[in-house]
Amino acid sequence: MKTNLLNIKGVTVLSKKSQSTVKGEGCGVDLSLCGCSCSGSVTGPFYCYYFTACPQIYTCDEAI
């Protein structure tokens, strides 16, 4: 599969270092602000509900 992709004009293989510098351009949302509460609710700005799914498990008071 990798060999077939390299035959496409303009395709190059990125090193690990160059992969880490790639910045996505998209819909302008910061998904790092999204998360899950211990009760399984999505936390963060309103758009997080569209991009994040949380397990519906209550984990607030579990002993470690």
Side-chain angles (χ1 to χ4, degrees), residues 35-58:
C36 297
S37 70
C38 59
S39 63
S41 298
V42 175
T43 59
F46 72 94
Y47 56 78
C48 291
Y49 294 96
Y50 297 108
F51 298 105
T52 307
C54 297
Q56 299 299 311
I57 299 171
Y58 186 79

Side-chain angles (χ1 to χ4, degrees), residues 2-36:
K2 183 177 176 181
T3 308
N4 292 336
L5 290 175
L6 295 176
N7 292 332
I8 299 172
K9 183 178 179 182
V11 172
T12 59
V13 177
L14 298 175
S15 67
K16 289 278 187 188
K17 184 175 181 177
S18 62
Q19 287 177 26
S20 66
T21 62
V22 172
K23 301 278 186 204
E25 297 278 331
C27 52
V29 297
D30 184 1
L31 296 179
S32 68
L33 300 175
C34 302
C36 297

